[in-house]
Amino acid sequence: MHHLNEQHSITNRISLYPRLVLVGTGLLASLASPSPWLPAAIGLIAIGYLIRVGVRPSSLTLRLAAPLFMGATALLASIFFAGTDPLFQLSLGPWEIIGYRDGLERGILVLSRVCAGASLVLLISLTTPVTDLLAAAKRLRISSLFLEL
């Protein structure tokens, strides 16, 4: 399903392989970044571009809900289970709940990477017909068994 405003889409003027390289570079940069700022910026740029070319924000919200929920879960798990530098401590009856500063930082990094990755995958999938993606995968000799998955 193509959601794009075809006349305003710069992606129509860029061939598929440079777009794939751009998305791949964005994914690698997001994963390699030690800071959450670059992945967050990449994700926001991809989302902004998709909105600019006509993808409805409500559609983006639905498509990003599951990845962002998983990223938020990783953030919460990191806060409470990964770290050494206490940020806060709560006493709930016999239990002590401790949130860690380094866990929060790690969780924010994971969440920003999830946002960037999901946004870039949406960018390539919503701006490129599936037939073009499958033809490129065949030319790149990606296994047909893998493509069927």
Side-chain angles (χ1 to χ4, degrees), residues 1-67:
M1 180 158 91
H2 240 353
H3 293 283
L4 299 179
N5 183 350
E6 298 292 337
Q7 62 190 359
H8 291 87
S9 178
I10 193 171
T11 55
N12 290 337
R13 291 174 268 164
I14 300 173
S15 77
L16 177 60
Y17 293 105
R19 283 187 274 163
L20 289 173
V21 168
L22 181 66
V23 167
T25 302
L27 287 169
L28 290 174
S30 294
L31 290 174
S33 175
S35 163
W37 295 108
L38 180 62
I42 289 170
L44 290 173
I45 289 168
I47 290 169
Y49 180 76
L50 286 167
I51 290 170
R52 167 83 170 84
V53 298
V55 179
R56 292 187 323 267
S58 60
S59 177
L60 282 175
T61 302
L62 287 172
R63 292 169 191 262
L64 289 172

Side-chain angles (χ1 to χ4, degrees), residues 40-147:
I42 289 170
L44 290 173
I45 289 168
I47 290 169
Y49 180 76
L50 286 167
I51 290 170
R52 167 83 170 84
V53 298
V55 179
R56 292 187 323 267
S58 60
S59 177
L60 282 175
T61 302
L62 287 172
R63 292 169 191 262
L64 289 172
L68 293 181
F69 178 77
M70 289 185 279
T73 302
L75 171 66
L76 288 174
S78 294
I79 290 171
F80 294 110
F81 300 115
T84 56
D85 183 19
L87 176 65
F88 63 87
Q89 187 170 354
L90 299 171
S91 294
L92 295 172
W95 298 288
E96 291 282 327
I97 299 174
I98 301 172
Y100 298 99
R101 181 179 317 279
D102 43 342
L104 174 65
E105 292 169 0
R106 184 177 305 129
I108 290 171
L109 179 60
V110 169
L111 181 61
S112 69
R113 288 175 175 171
V114 168
C115 177
S119 300
L120 287 169
V121 168
L122 281 178
L123 178 68
I124 198 70
S125 66
L126 293 177
T127 60
T128 309
V130 174
T131 54
D132 291 353
L133 289 173
L134 291 173
K138 188 174 182 177
R139 276 187 235 125
L140 294 171
R141 297 175 193 234
I142 295 175
S143 167
S144 61
L145 179 62
F146 181 75
L147 292 176

